[in-house]
Structures are given as C-alpha cells and as structure tokens.
Amino acid sequence: MELKIVIGGEAGQGIQTISVIMSKFFLRSGYYVFSEQSYQSRIRGGHNFTQVRISTESISSPDDGIDILVALNEETINLHKGEISPNGIIIYDNELIKYEGLDKSFFGVPLQRIAVENAKTKLAVNSSACGVLVGLLDGDFSILEKLMREQFKDPDIGEKNVLTAKAGYEIGRNRKDFSLKTPFLSNNERLIIDGGSAIGFGAIVAGCRFLSAYPMTPGTAVMNYLAGHSKRYNIVVEQAEDEISAINMVLGASFAGVRSMVTTSGGGFSLMVEGLSLAGMTETPCVIHIGQRPGPATGLPTRTEQAELLFVINAGHGEFPRYVTAPRDARDAFYKTIKAFNLADKYQIPSIILTDQFLIDSMATIEGLELNNIKIERYIEYNPNKDYKRHLITESGISPRALPGTGGILVVTDSDEHDEEGHITEDLEIRKRLVEKRLRRGELLKEDIEEPLYFGLSDPDVILLGWGSTYGAIKEAIDRLIEEDFKVGLLHFSDVYPLPYKQLEKYRNKRLISVEGNATGQFTLLVRRETGIDIKDKILKYNGRPFTPSEIVKEVKKIW
Amino acid sequence: MVDTKIYENNQVPAWCSGCGNFSILRCMKQALAELDISPDRLLMVSGIGQAAKAPHYFKCNLFNGLHGRDISVAVGAKIANHDLIVIAESGDGNTYGEGGNHLIHNIRRNVNIKVFVHNNQIYGLTKGQASPTSDLGMKTRVQVDGVLSPPFNPIAVAIALNASFVARSFSGDPEHLVAMMKSAITHKGFALLDILQPCVTFNRVNTFGWYKERVYKLDDSYDPTNRILAFEKALEWGDRIPIGIIYVNNRPTYEEQLTQLKDGPLFKVPITGIDYSDILKEFK
C-alpha cells in the first residue's frame, strides 16, 4: 500500500509544519515515509510544496503522482491538478478559494475558519489541515494529539491546536467515499530523519565540538542543527565573517585538538579552496560538508544538483590526498559523517562530505541507528618524544600528531614547504621527500574506501551507475524494471574518492548507464580517468529537481 | 623572569641586514621572558610576508598559515584551547590588506588573542609594491603615478569598532616596544599592536630617521579609556606620530561569554561515553 500527499502553498503558510507533523504521524502509525521539499528562494509568497509519500514497504525517494493534494492557495490547484490520481482528492479551503470547475475530487473544508474558531489564530491552519488528513485516512487521532502536544511547548497553545485538529479530524472522517484508508500498523524502532540532521547528529556523535560556517543554503541546515545542540553537548558554533575565515578557524581549532567542521555549498566551498590546500600542506584534519545546489555562481539556491563532484575532487592547488564521500541516504549520511571524522584524524587529511539539497531537506524513515558500536579514534600522541617533529617522515607517511600546549614539546607547521620539524625550508631534497610522505597517506587511505553497493539481478545485461543521493530513486526504478523482466542491476557509490574500482573492474564489460544529477556526466569522467572504462550511456537531470523512480524507468526503456 | 636564551633556535632569518624585524624579534623574546611565558604555552600564528616569518626564528608552537588568514586560525586555536597564549604576527599587507575582513570581525568578536603587525608601509616579500598603509603619492614600480588611495588607518578603524586594546609602537624604541607587547599580552581581550618599522630595501620615504623624528610617547596624563581622545590620537599622522596605548575598552571576551568553555579548554571535553538518547527521541 502506498500513498502520496502533496501540500502546497506560499512560503510562510506553514507547509513544512504540516509535512513534519504528518511525516511523524505516519512513522508512528507504522509506515515508511519519505518527504521531499520543493521551495523557492524566498521567505514569503511564491509556490512551495512538499510531498509526503508513505508506504508499507521501505521507500527512499519521492515519486510522480498525487493521491491527496492539500492546497493552501489556488495556484497549488492549478499547478498540480493534472497529477492527481483517479481516486485522488483535493483538500482546499472552500471559503477562501473560489475555484471554477469543481469535480468529485474536490473536498472543500473551511480550514481557516476552523483554526480561528478553535485556536483564535489563522496560524493554526496547519493543525486543521493535519486533522482533516488524519480523519480522511481513518488514522488514530491520539497519535496526532500527542504529536501536537510535543510540537507546542506551551501547553495552552498545544491544547488549542489539538482542538483545531480534532475539528478538522471530524470533518475528514465524515468523507465516506474516499477509498484510500490507512490501517494502523504495529509501531517499531524506526526513526524519521532529514539529511541535514543526520549529518549534524553524526558530527556530534563523532565528537565534533567546533563548527564555523557562513550561512549558505542548503549547507546551513548542519550549522543550525549543531547550534541547536551546542549548550547540551558543549559545542562551539561560530558564524564566520566569510567562508575563508570559516575554514581557517576550523583548521586552527583542529590544530589545537578539537574535531572541527565547516558546512557550506559550492559557492562557499570555492572560497575555502585555498584553506583546503592549507589543510593538505599542514596535514591538519578537517571535515567539510558541501550541500550541492545548481550552479554556476548563485544558480538555483534552493534546488538540487550533483555538479560539484569533479570540482571537489580536484579543488586546491598542489597535490595532497583527500577523502570524498557522497552519502546515499540519511542513514548513510550519519555513519559516513563519523567515518569522515575518523579518516580525517587517521590520515591527517581533509574529509569532504558531498551531499545535495535533496538529501539535506528530505525526511526519510530509516532503521534505528546503532550507537553502541561506534568507534571514535583520534590518533593523537598525548605523550610525545622530547625530540618531537610534527612532520616526521615515516614509512606510512603519517607523522605522529601532538597538540600545542600538551606534552611539553613544540608543534610547528607551515603553509610554506617545511622540514620535518615544520620550519620553512627551500631545501629541494627535503621538499621531494615531504611531497612523497604526504602522498603515501593517500595510498593507505584506499584501504578504508568502501566499494559500491550492488543491487539487482546477479547476471544483468545492463548496470545503472549512481552516486550520492540518487540511490533511493534508482533502486526503486530497478525493482520496477526487474518486475517487467528487464535484466538490470545497480552499482551505487557512496565513497567516491579515492574511487573504489574493484566492482567496476568486475562489471567493466557490461553495458553501463550512468544516472546523475548534472549535465555533463561527471561521474563517467571520473570513472574513465581512474579505470579507463568509457561509459557512453547517461541519464542526466539538471533542472534543479531530484530524480523520481518513474522517470528513471522511462529513460532506461528509451535507451534499452 | 626567564632567560631569553630559552627562545633561541637554530633557524636563520631571511631578512635584509638592518631590517626592523630584527629589533621586533629581540623585543618579542624580551617581552616573553619578562612575562615568564615558556615556549610550549605559546602558540604563534602567522600569515605570509617577511614579518610572518618571524615566529620561525624563536622557540614556540607555530602555525604559519596563508596570507591574511592568520587571525582566523588564531581564533580557532584559542577557542579550542584557551589555556594557550595565542599571538598572530604578520605585516601590514597581510593584516590590513588581504586579511582586512578578519581584522574587522575579530575586533568585534573579542577573542583573547593578540595581533602584532609589523607596519613598514610597503610590500617587502613581493619586492616593493604599495601596501594599504603606504603614504599618498609614494611611487613604486606598480604605483607609477604614486599611491592614489589614502592610507588605511588601523588605529582609527580599531577604535571605531570599539576594540578591546589598541596600541602603537616603533621598532626603533625597543624599551617602548617591549612594554607595549607586555601590555597587549596581559590585556584580557583582543589586542591590536601596530608596530612602525622601516624597510631598508624598498621604502625610501618612511626610513628609520623619518620615524625617529616624528614618533612621540603618550605620557601618563593620557587617558586611553576616553574614546573621543583616542580618535584624536588615531588621526594624528604627519609631523608627529603618537605611540603608546591609544585605546582600552575592557569588555567581556568571546570565551567568557560561552558556557561551553566554562569547564576548561574545549579540546579536553570528553567526546566518548556520552548518552545520546535525547537526540534519538527527536527523530521519533
């Protein structure tokens, strides 16, 4: 059983509130949920919508089509009416919207009047809408009531919103002809989490205690998350004057011993690139989160894209190792964030978490997170030798890392080429040895890189390649294609650099199709550079919206 | 007071003979010795330029970073470990040009770090271009018509931003310079020390003699907590140039205002064995 609800209206009408409450409602009712947001770069007005998709099966992407449309303005009806399924329904405020051309799918409810009557404020229209939805679907009102009371810290406001929701619920329940009822399922240990919170939570668990950033959509979500937990978990979050300062502050904090990160988007990362190179030269661990959005330049600030892959892998002057991971979903993002911190410390390198607006802003049901087995490894020498040298040449290339102000030794590093002690040098023999020492760590790093996930038939004719947040949509497309007897599989990359190549080698003679959220097929270029495999077929999307399974199925059939 | 010998290392300065940097380096060791600061408690952060090489030439922890970004690194390190004495040391091009934005906002932030600027009103390392503090009309290979933009006034800018501590000294007056360095280091809060210094190779205008004729010390009757007077002193530049503590404003430091730093340095906060069940509840 599956259901797709779209809530649309202007910015500032509370669309996100409805989406969050309903997502949690369905989670607690035992469903798998995936909610995706499409919003414009503005605080008021415009057209924003969010899709809450629920299923009894595990899902991890939005999909085309609408079963229930909650229209908070007339424009929402005009824009989405064509997507309504045959048994679908449009909930709208029939006292505010005088729509011409009503048919049986329209369900007029005085959402605003209910809010004003029960909560004495138009703002509670979110609660009347949630009530109507729960009533219409025959859901358990007590779950909604509990959620409302949790949502509003003030008990009086909570009560008013419960009354509002209840009034909506009664109206929804009386609509008997609606066939898509949602039976209550047994509850469970699953969580619902958005990508931004998953990265923020992962960072906290990894021991990140300093974050500096300059606000930039969609990277800001991680800064907000850490700031929200800063008092409880002793985290310092500092909004920098610019991204250049953010990365340099982070390097200072990391040099002095605190796990530290920046969060930004492509434009902000462009400003950080010299700092990235500094991290490479001084061998200072750091974690950089980049939430991609469409470029070039300011591009589409609130939309999604996967067009920074080659930039991120090649960014920074000079040669130095780095780890780049592109989490496939919120759960993966949590664990990969921890891995990013551990590898940054282990190899004394920059670790880059490459996500996108779609992953950051979407909420998804995930299986419970296992926190007990998480290892935090710092690789710091607290009792260094008296003749300590910060950049000691070792076989592995990794020099013992001590902290300034501890152990009675001196820690010296330099953005200039330096000797083992860290002092500036122009000795060209030392230069050569330090370059080789720094790069040796990159060879070791390869052992910690995760091979891509394989999903699908064991002997496919065609393999789709994907990386990052496209996983859910491609996986679902594969399921549907297999049902239709297509012999197909999916190789999906989360760790992208150094590029894991064993699975690619295994499938190098198969027909490969790359599915990517960019216009030039950047992943195919990376694969060719690293393995010589030439991938000719590509399914590319670059209009700022995420992939849906339906469109991938359609595109695969076209190419097949 | 410890012996200044404890700061000696085997690095050989890359400066021209007669450079004002030598005097500043000697004064630095003297000030640290008089304050009994052992090298391992001190973190020097520098950017790029001839001045920014200075911390290589004495014993200390050192992060010699990028051009103009040393203040940001210093602030990050101080937040991570506020037990360290953190001093950013660079030149006028680094701090007033490339790093201007960081200077402005860190004066506001008031992290307890010290910023020592060797101000020779010229670019040395890149061989003689105008700096943000070069006087109007100074001709160089690049500024062929002479400098057209009036000089950046670091003292006035810092006072305008209500800086916690603003001072100026001169490399040609070691006794004064040591005193200013000590005052800056012991001041609680962000301290800017602008150090006038001749460049013997590239600046033929603002020579040792030029400065020597003009600088005068603020005497005891001067009240550095008076912002209006401080502005007057900041604007004095020409035949007479005041040196001394020009402005002091004892306001709370960044670190003092954060409860996260109350129980000790951030880098010592335990990050394992923490119960995160509170957070898990948010996602249900």
Side-chain angles (χ1 to χ4, degrees), chain A residues 70-105:
Chain A
V70 181
L72 298 179
N73 63 359
E74 189 171 341
E75 193 187 3
T76 301
I77 303 175
N78 294 328
L79 287 169
H80 295 284
K81 196 169 181 306
E83 301 163 54
I84 307 282
S85 62
N87 296 320
I89 200 160
I90 299 168
I91 301 169
Y92 74 110
D93 194 321
N94 53 355
E95 291 181 359
L96 296 181
I97 302 170
K98 294 295 168 204
Y99 193 76
E100 303 289 327
L102 298 178
D103 57 41
K104 72 175 178 56
S105 66

Tab-separated table of all heavy atoms in Angstrom, chain A residues 70-105:
chain	number	residue	atom	x	y	z
A	70	VAL	N	-3.189	18.849	-0.644
A	70	VAL	CA	-3.654	19.863	0.304
A	70	VAL	C	-3.249	21.207	-0.282
A	70	VAL	O	-2.068	21.535	-0.335
A	70	VAL	CB	-3.034	19.672	1.707
A	70	VAL	CG1	-3.554	20.731	2.670
A	70	VAL	CG2	-3.318	18.271	2.240
A	71	ALA	N	-4.258	21.947	-0.760
A	71	ALA	CA	-3.964	23.199	-1.462
A	71	ALA	C	-4.253	24.377	-0.540
A	71	ALA	O	-5.405	24.633	-0.201
A	71	ALA	CB	-4.804	23.287	-2.731
A	72	LEU	N	-3.213	25.072	-0.141
A	72	LEU	CA	-3.394	26.230	0.740
A	72	LEU	C	-3.609	27.506	-0.073
A	72	LEU	O	-3.899	28.549	0.483
A	72	LEU	CB	-2.204	26.377	1.697
A	72	LEU	CG	-1.995	25.194	2.661
A	72	LEU	CD1	-0.774	25.438	3.545
A	72	LEU	CD2	-3.220	24.959	3.543
A	73	ASN	N	-3.431	27.402	-1.388
A	73	ASN	CA	-3.808	28.532	-2.252
A	73	ASN	C	-4.255	27.990	-3.607
A	73	ASN	O	-4.101	26.797	-3.906
A	73	ASN	CB	-2.653	29.546	-2.389
A	73	ASN	CG	-1.426	28.942	-3.069
A	73	ASN	OD1	-1.420	27.756	-3.429
A	73	ASN	ND2	-0.395	29.748	-3.236
A	74	GLU	N	-4.824	28.879	-4.403
A	74	GLU	CA	-5.419	28.444	-5.671
A	74	GLU	C	-4.343	27.982	-6.655
A	74	GLU	O	-4.543	27.054	-7.429
A	74	GLU	CB	-6.242	29.605	-6.260
A	74	GLU	CG	-7.065	29.164	-7.464
A	74	GLU	CD	-8.049	30.230	-7.917
A	74	GLU	OE1	-8.360	31.144	-7.122
A	74	GLU	OE2	-8.503	30.132	-9.069
A	75	GLU	N	-3.193	28.630	-6.610
A	75	GLU	CA	-2.114	28.298	-7.535
A	75	GLU	C	-1.713	26.822	-7.415
A	75	GLU	O	-1.385	26.162	-8.402
A	75	GLU	CB	-0.905	29.212	-7.250
A	75	GLU	CG	0.137	29.161	-8.359
A	75	GLU	CD	1.416	29.936	-8.021
A	75	GLU	OE1	1.523	30.478	-6.903
A	75	GLU	OE2	2.304	29.953	-8.879
A	76	THR	N	-1.759	26.324	-6.174
A	76	THR	CA	-1.406	24.922	-5.950
A	76	THR	C	-2.335	24.001	-6.738
A	76	THR	O	-1.901	23.013	-7.334
A	76	THR	CB	-1.491	24.606	-4.439
A	76	THR	OG1	-0.589	25.473	-3.752
A	76	THR	CG2	-1.117	23.164	-4.156
A	77	ILE	N	-3.631	24.355	-6.751
A	77	ILE	CA	-4.594	23.538	-7.502
A	77	ILE	C	-4.252	23.596	-8.993
A	77	ILE	O	-4.163	22.569	-9.668
A	77	ILE	CB	-6.038	24.031	-7.259
A	77	ILE	CG1	-6.361	24.012	-5.760
A	77	ILE	CG2	-7.030	23.167	-8.041
A	77	ILE	CD1	-7.738	24.591	-5.408
A	78	ASN	N	-4.032	24.805	-9.492
A	78	ASN	CA	-3.734	24.968	-10.922
A	78	ASN	C	-2.480	24.207	-11.344
A	78	ASN	O	-2.443	23.579	-12.391
A	78	ASN	CB	-3.558	26.454	-11.260
A	78	ASN	CG	-4.855	27.223	-11.095
A	78	ASN	OD1	-5.942	26.673	-11.312
A	78	ASN	ND2	-4.753	28.480	-10.682
A	79	LEU	N	-1.461	24.256	-10.499
A	79	LEU	CA	-0.179	23.646	-10.872
A	79	LEU	C	-0.192	22.121	-10.762
A	79	LEU	O	0.522	21.443	-11.471
A	79	LEU	CB	0.951	24.202	-10.002
A	79	LEU	CG	1.370	25.646	-10.312
A	79	LEU	CD1	2.305	26.169	-9.230
A	79	LEU	CD2	2.062	25.719	-11.676
A	80	HIS	N	-0.956	21.574	-9.836
A	80	HIS	CA	-0.838	20.134	-9.556
A	80	HIS	C	-2.056	19.298	-9.955
A	80	HIS	O	-2.022	18.086	-9.837
A	80	HIS	CB	-0.558	19.924	-8.062
A	80	HIS	CG	0.764	20.472	-7.630
A	80	HIS	ND1	1.955	19.840	-7.907
A	80	HIS	CD2	1.096	21.601	-6.955
A	80	HIS	CE1	2.962	20.551	-7.412
A	80	HIS	NE2	2.465	21.632	-6.833
A	81	LYS	N	-3.123	19.951	-10.429
A	81	LYS	CA	-4.361	19.214	-10.689
A	81	LYS	C	-4.145	18.051	-11.659
A	81	LYS	O	-4.686	16.969	-11.485
A	81	LYS	CB	-5.435	20.165	-11.228
A	81	LYS	CG	-6.827	19.555	-11.143
A	81	LYS	CD	-7.922	20.552	-11.412
A	81	LYS	CE	-9.287	19.882	-11.275
A	81	LYS	NZ	-9.473	18.688	-12.088
A	82	GLY	N	-3.292	18.287	-12.627
A	82	GLY	CA	-3.027	17.257	-13.630
A	82	GLY	C	-2.345	16.010	-13.095
A	82	GLY	O	-2.339	14.969	-13.746
A	83	GLU	N	-1.769	16.088	-11.926
A	83	GLU	CA	-1.037	14.936	-11.377
A	83	GLU	C	-1.893	14.076	-10.459
A	83	GLU	O	-1.449	13.048	-9.955
A	83	GLU	CB	0.174	15.439	-10.556
A	83	GLU	CG	1.181	16.277	-11.327
A	83	GLU	CD	2.073	17.057	-10.375
A	83	GLU	OE1	2.697	16.446	-9.484
A	83	GLU	OE2	2.128	18.299	-10.508
A	84	ILE	N	-3.141	14.527	-10.178
A	84	ILE	CA	-3.997	13.808	-9.223
A	84	ILE	C	-4.392	12.438	-9.789
A	84	ILE	O	-4.799	12.321	-10.939
A	84	ILE	CB	-5.288	14.618	-8.927
A	84	ILE	CG1	-4.951	16.047	-8.496
A	84	ILE	CG2	-6.181	13.912	-7.912
A	84	ILE	CD1	-4.491	16.203	-7.100
A	85	SER	N	-4.276	11.413	-8.977
A	85	SER	CA	-4.613	10.056	-9.424
A	85	SER	C	-6.141	9.915	-9.534
A	85	SER	O	-6.876	10.728	-8.968
A	85	SER	CB	-4.036	9.043	-8.441
A	85	SER	OG	-4.603	9.236	-7.168
A	86	PRO	N	-6.615	8.893	-10.235
A	86	PRO	CA	-8.068	8.762	-10.496
A	86	PRO	C	-8.924	8.800	-9.223
A	86	PRO	O	-9.995	9.380	-9.225
A	86	PRO	CB	-8.176	7.404	-11.187
A	86	PRO	CG	-6.848	7.205	-11.821
A	86	PRO	CD	-5.850	7.865	-10.931
A	87	ASN	N	-8.453	8.187	-8.143
A	87	ASN	CA	-9.238	8.216	-6.911
A	87	ASN	C	-8.775	9.318	-5.956
A	87	ASN	O	-9.124	9.307	-4.789
A	87	ASN	CB	-9.143	6.869	-6.184
A	87	ASN	CG	-9.745	5.761	-7.003
A	87	ASN	OD1	-10.780	5.960	-7.632
A	87	ASN	ND2	-9.087	4.623	-7.035
A	88	GLY	N	-7.988	10.216	-6.474
A	88	GLY	CA	-7.367	11.235	-5.618
A	88	GLY	C	-8.337	12.298	-5.149
A	88	GLY	O	-9.483	12.383	-5.610
A	89	ILE	N	-7.847	13.136	-4.250
A	89	ILE	CA	-8.721	14.122	-3.631
A	89	ILE	C	-7.930	15.419	-3.413
A	89	ILE	O	-6.720	15.389	-3.193
A	89	ILE	CB	-9.275	13.539	-2.313
A	89	ILE	CG1	-10.531	14.284	-1.874
A	89	ILE	CG2	-8.256	13.558	-1.198
A	89	ILE	CD1	-11.356	13.444	-0.901
A	90	ILE	N	-8.642	16.547	-3.524
A	90	ILE	CA	-8.000	17.846	-3.299
A	90	ILE	C	-8.654	18.507	-2.085
A	90	ILE	O	-9.848	18.813	-2.120
A	90	ILE	CB	-8.158	18.766	-4.523
A	90	ILE	CG1	-7.492	18.127	-5.750
A	90	ILE	CG2	-7.546	20.145	-4.249
A	90	ILE	CD1	-7.823	18.811	-7.064
A	91	ILE	N	-7.917	18.664	-1.033
A	91	ILE	CA	-8.430	19.360	0.145
A	91	ILE	C	-8.109	20.839	-0.026
A	91	ILE	O	-6.941	21.197	-0.245
A	91	ILE	CB	-7.779	18.826	1.440
A	91	ILE	CG1	-8.051	17.329	1.607
A	91	ILE	CG2	-8.258	19.612	2.658
A	91	ILE	CD1	-7.229	16.678	2.716
A	92	TYR	N	-9.114	21.694	0.048
A	92	TYR	CA	-8.846	23.133	-0.093
A	92	TYR	C	-9.827	23.900	0.776
A	92	TYR	O	-10.845	23.358	1.221
A	92	TYR	CB	-8.947	23.549	-1.559
A	92	TYR	CG	-10.364	23.611	-2.079
A	92	TYR	CD1	-10.967	24.827	-2.384
A	92	TYR	CD2	-11.111	22.441	-2.228
A	92	TYR	CE1	-12.275	24.886	-2.832
A	92	TYR	CE2	-12.424	22.499	-2.670
A	92	TYR	CZ	-13.002	23.724	-2.965
A	92	TYR	OH	-14.301	23.786	-3.393
A	93	ASP	N	-9.526	25.141	1.031
A	93	ASP	CA	-10.380	25.974	1.874
A	93	ASP	C	-11.459	26.597	0.992
A	93	ASP	O	-11.206	27.550	0.263
A	93	ASP	CB	-9.544	27.051	2.576
A	93	ASP	CG	-10.307	27.713	3.705
A	93	ASP	OD1	-11.533	27.942	3.529
A	93	ASP	OD2	-9.699	28.000	4.757
A	94	ASN	N	-12.673	26.043	1.065
A	94	ASN	CA	-13.731	26.496	0.147
A	94	ASN	C	-14.309	27.863	0.521
A	94	ASN	O	-15.138	28.401	-0.171
A	94	ASN	CB	-14.842	25.447	0.050
A	94	ASN	CG	-15.369	25.049	1.412
A	94	ASN	OD1	-14.835	25.495	2.435
A	94	ASN	ND2	-16.405	24.224	1.448
A	95	GLU	N	-13.882	28.413	1.661
A	95	GLU	CA	-14.332	29.770	1.997
A	95	GLU	C	-13.332	30.819	1.510
A	95	GLU	O	-13.650	31.983	1.431
A	95	GLU	CB	-14.546	29.904	3.510
A	95	GLU	CG	-15.738	29.077	3.970
A	95	GLU	CD	-16.019	29.197	5.459
A	95	GLU	OE1	-15.280	29.915	6.166
A	95	GLU	OE2	-16.978	28.556	5.910
A	96	LEU	N	-12.109	30.384	1.231
A	96	LEU	CA	-11.087	31.327	0.768
A	96	LEU	C	-10.811	31.188	-0.720
A	96	LEU	O	-10.464	32.149	-1.400
A	96	LEU	CB	-9.769	31.106	1.527
A	96	LEU	CG	-9.798	31.361	3.027
A	96	LEU	CD1	-8.413	31.129	3.618
A	96	LEU	CD2	-10.249	32.788	3.323
A	97	ILE	N	-10.926	29.971	-1.231
A	97	ILE	CA	-10.614	29.739	-2.646
A	97	ILE	C	-11.925	29.462	-3.387
A	97	ILE	O	-12.636	28.509	-3.068
A	97	ILE	CB	-9.651	28.535	-2.807
A	97	ILE	CG1	-8.356	28.775	-2.009
A	97	ILE	CG2	-9.354	28.286	-4.273
A	97	ILE	CD1	-7.450	27.558	-1.913
A	98	LYS	N	-12.252	30.344	-4.317
A	98	LYS	CA	-13.457	30.115	-5.129
A	98	LYS	C	-12.989	29.527	-6.455
A	98	LYS	O	-12.647	30.245	-7.379
A	98	LYS	CB	-14.207	31.440	-5.335
A	98	LYS	CG	-14.783	32.008	-4.036
A	98	LYS	CD	-15.874	31.105	-3.442
A	98	LYS	CE	-16.238	31.516	-2.016
A	98	LYS	NZ	-16.815	30.406	-1.239
A	99	TYR	N	-12.931	28.218	-6.530
A	99	TYR	CA	-12.354	27.576	-7.710
A	99	TYR	C	-13.436	27.233	-8.727
A	99	TYR	O	-14.489	26.680	-8.381
A	99	TYR	CB	-11.613	26.308	-7.275
A	99	TYR	CG	-10.722	25.751	-8.356
A	99	TYR	CD1	-9.501	26.358	-8.641
A	99	TYR	CD2	-11.124	24.651	-9.109
A	99	TYR	CE1	-8.686	25.865	-9.647
A	99	TYR	CE2	-10.317	24.158	-10.118
A	99	TYR	CZ	-9.089	24.762	-10.383
A	99	TYR	OH	-8.294	24.280	-11.374
A	100	GLU	N	-13.195	27.571	-9.978
A	100	GLU	CA	-14.124	27.236	-11.064
A	100	GLU	C	-13.774	25.829	-11.549
A	100	GLU	O	-12.614	25.498	-11.659
A	100	GLU	CB	-13.939	28.214	-12.236
A	100	GLU	CG	-14.119	29.679	-11.895
A	100	GLU	CD	-15.574	30.055	-11.608
A	100	GLU	OE1	-16.471	29.451	-12.232
A	100	GLU	OE2	-15.799	30.921	-10.730
A	101	GLY	N	-14.782	25.042	-11.814
A	101	GLY	CA	-14.515	23.724	-12.385
A	101	GLY	C	-14.312	22.654	-11.342
A	101	GLY	O	-13.443	21.783	-11.462
A	102	LEU	N	-15.134	22.709	-10.279
A	102	LEU	CA	-15.053	21.682	-9.239
A	102	LEU	C	-15.520	20.339	-9.794
A	102	LEU	O	-16.415	20.277	-10.633
A	102	LEU	CB	-15.958	22.059	-8.059
A	102	LEU	CG	-15.622	23.354	-7.318
A	102	LEU	CD1	-16.649	23.607	-6.219
A	102	LEU	CD2	-14.226	23.268	-6.711
A	103	ASP	N	-14.904	19.249	-9.345
A	103	ASP	CA	-15.423	17.919	-9.674
A	103	ASP	C	-15.398	17.069	-8.420
A	103	ASP	O	-15.143	17.592	-7.334
A	103	ASP	CB	-14.620	17.294	-10.827
A	103	ASP	CG	-13.159	17.199	-10.504
A	103	ASP	OD1	-12.825	16.848	-9.336
A	103	ASP	OD2	-12.299	17.465	-11.385
A	104	LYS	N	-15.614	15.774	-8.558
A	104	LYS	CA	-15.770	14.931	-7.371
A	104	LYS	C	-14.488	14.835	-6.538
A	104	LYS	O	-14.510	14.454	-5.378
A	104	LYS	CB	-16.268	13.534	-7.762
A	104	LYS	CG	-15.224	12.663	-8.468
A	104	LYS	CD	-15.784	11.259	-8.686
A	104	LYS	CE	-14.788	10.359	-9.430
A	104	LYS	NZ	-13.475	10.208	-8.834
A	105	SER	N	-13.350	15.177	-7.115
A	105	SER	CA	-12.097	15.075	-6.365
A	105	SER	C	-11.946	16.216	-5.346
A	105	SER	O	-11.125	16.154	-4.455
A	105	SER	CB	-10.897	15.070	-7.314
A	105	SER	OG	-10.795	16.316	-7.962
